[in-house]
Amino acid sequence: MKIALDAMGGDYAPDSPISGAIEALHLFPDVHLILVGNEPIVKEIFYKKNGQAVQQRVEFLHTSQVVGMEDPPIESVRHKRDSSISRCVELIKKGEADAVVSAGNTGAVVAAATVYLRTLPGISRAGIASVIPTEKNPFILIDSGAIIDSTPENLLDFGIMGSIYAKKILGVSNPRVGLLSIGTENVKGNELTKSAFKLLSKSNLNFVGNIEGRDLFENPVDVVVCDGFVGNVVLKTSESVATAVVRWLKREFKKNPIRILGAILAKGAFESVKKKTNYEEYGGALLLGIRGTCIIAHGSSTPKAICNAIRVAREALIQNVNHIIIEEIKAHHELIEEHKRTSLPIT
Amino acid sequence: MKIALDAMGGDYAPDSPISGAIEALHLFPDVHLILVGNEPIVKEIFYKKNGQAVQQRVEFLHTSQVVGMEDPPIESVRHKRDSSISRCVELIKKGEADAVVSAGNTGAVVAAATVYLRTLPGISRAGIASVIPTEKNPFILIDSGAIIDSTPENLLDFGIMGSIYAKKILGVSNPRVGLLSIGTENVKGNELTKSAFKLLSKSNLNFVGNIEGRDLFENPVDVVVCDGFVGNVVLKTSESVATAVVRWLKREFKKNPIRILGAILAKGAFESVKKKTNYEEYGGALLLGIRGTCIIAHGSSTPKAICNAIRVAREALIQNVNHIIIEEIKAHHELIEEHKRTSLPIT
């Protein structure tokens, strides 16, 4: 399989993507990579990092432009057609790559994938499936920011795709799907979630109903479905709270010599939690619902994170995730059509 | 001033509200309380807890019904007219109380206040202003769940009311107001926030623009404005993440004898954080925008939390918060009317 890697994407690019690429090539003998970016620079780093050993499974594609982390997504697709992100996605369109991995500007990746590849049959909007660690098992949050102002049908699609992701990539046998809302009863929520609740209830999914923010980290479900606006706020707020609490505790630990001694003795506790919540292990989010496999890695991806993102791309290809999504969406076709006929438009 | 206290509201009622009432009466000599609930029971507990010392400033109002934590809000207002919540709110309507404090079913309190008291002139919907602790200063999250499916005008009202709360109750001199969204640029967000951004930018507020979930706990603003659905999800998710992280760390601390020793030495660190994040200190959320002063205390309120909720009610009355809100809303009248004329309806 061929995976296009955005060598210019992320805070530590091109160094980190290239190191991650070499790691992945060593680990997965069936993976071929196309390193997309400023070719002279990429090549120089690649060979400096002893890429020679795996060079048979690498190609380089030169691009003259880079999308910055703050560039407006749609503009970047329109005006930076020779960016590493656009070129990566184009490789899928041309059939020259099976998947793309980028730690670059998330919005730009979503925009490029949507514009160049379009969505899978039966799906109107793509969703980002992020893996959120908890003390027990991770859960999937979908959509965590691909689209905003979703419809109930989008939310059903997210449930279907998230469930397939949980099954095929995380190995959960019968994933429990929950709808993020502000009360557990079916009558609670906004217009969007109330309508989505009805749709999800009639689906083939293992839908357990509404779940609240307060329950998220108690592992009541494997897949959390929500609008991209809410999902993005939840994702970023959760990261922010966790970071703030740990930092605060660490500062409190330094306030007197006895606490400092305690902190030294208990250091391993912080490290265990840090390790288990480390985004590097999860390899980035999958943009689900597009004609192609697209992994959005964390902006601050280390080589390990990039390597894991390549692993997720590889698994999605091996498991044929997109094919299963198409079949499942087909199976829900009647339900969606009936819902459209009987519902008033909500926006 | 006379404050009606829902003696039957909260997980530890009637014990906890009554103890909190006695504490508050000792602390604030200008406060008179009306204890609303099952009179024989309330009276018995009140005198058992040595209420005699403050009994001159206490009245009792008997009610035969109680709203449960899981009762549907609107139903409870319609069918439990003799509940402690409904009677408390009615006392304000009749002019027999200046404020109400309840740790009962939040939705029922909001519904009763909205139905019996209605909103202040110029305000179409009330919002819940919750105080969220951080390592440095707390911030106000408004609306944290009073209404869902808000309009841009509602969000402007929340900004105005939250700013007044920050100034008058938290003592912030020129409160910075931020709009919760999914990117810091003004073009980012959903239809609601993009439209609200324009309105807030033209207001008299110290509006600093969009803020993201990732920044919330870095204290970039004093007031966070958002839709009640999003606010409720953020509030509950934040509590849930903080609890989960602390619990997880504590469990890690117990994994071997050295860590246990470390944990004992550093125990004070956890206690400091716990103390500063303790909702008891903040005394509950203020339901802003209604014709009356209404404090919604935490469901699991201790006597201390109830006492602080009474303190907040007292301060809101002394500071004449509602009067200032009416004036500020008046000052924004032109802006709101112009916005309505020039905007397309978004819902």
Side-chain angles (χ1 to χ4, degrees), chain B residues 160-293:
Chain B
I160 292 169
M161 298 192 296
S163 191
I164 292 167
Y165 185 115
K167 214 179 281 179
K168 295 296 170 184
I169 313 284
L170 299 185
V172 181
S173 63
N174 186 23
R176 297 157 302 165
V177 178
L179 178 65
L180 186 58
S181 191
I182 59 170
T184 47
E185 309 89 87
N186 61 0
V187 294
K188 291 264 181 93
N190 56 19
E191 290 307 315
L192 172 65
T193 61
K194 281 192 260 184
S195 184
F197 187 99
K198 289 182 201 158
L199 253 179
L200 286 159
S201 302
K202 291 182 203 153
S203 72
N204 302 342
L205 298 170
N206 181 10
F207 178 57
V208 299
N210 284 343
I211 59 155
E212 288 195 82
R214 76 169 103 234
D215 304 320
L216 276 184
F217 292 82
E218 308 298 323
N219 271 127
V221 295
D222 305 295
V223 179
V224 174
V225 171
C226 61
D227 167 52
F229 183 89
V230 174
N232 198 266
V233 169
V234 163
L235 181 73
K236 290 177 178 166
T237 302
S238 303
E239 283 184 0
S240 156
V241 173
T243 310
V245 169
V246 170
R247 188 185 53 207
W248 189 352
L249 275 170
K250 282 188 171 170
R251 221 169 278 165
E252 286 293 335
F253 274 121
K254 288 182 188 149
K255 282 206 171 152
N256 67 48
I258 294 173
R259 283 193 195 170
I260 291 173
L261 177 60
I264 293 167
L265 296 175
K267 203 179 162 208
F270 280 103
E271 279 165 4
S272 295
V273 173
K274 196 180 166 190
K275 202 181 157 206
K276 218 172 157 182
T277 54
N278 196 343
Y279 70 90
E280 289 179 325
E281 304 289 337
Y282 297 98
L286 201 47
L287 178 65
L288 287 169
I290 52 154
R291 293 174 197 251
T293 297

Side-chain angles (χ1 to χ4, degrees), chain A residues 148-149 189 191 212 236 253 266, chain B residues 148-149 189 212 236 253 266:
Chain A
I148 42 176
D149 296 313
E191 288 306 315
E212 288 196 81
K236 289 178 179 166
F253 274 121
Chain B
I148 43 175
D149 297 313
E212 288 195 82
K236 290 177 178 166
F253 274 121

Side-chain angles (χ1 to χ4, degrees), chain A residues 8 10 65-73 76 80 83 85 104-106 108:
Chain A
M8 313 308 279
Q65 291 174 306
V66 175
V67 176
M69 284 314 222
E70 295 304 321
D71 281 354
S76 68
K80 290 191 174 174
S83 74
I85 288 176
N105 181 319
T106 299

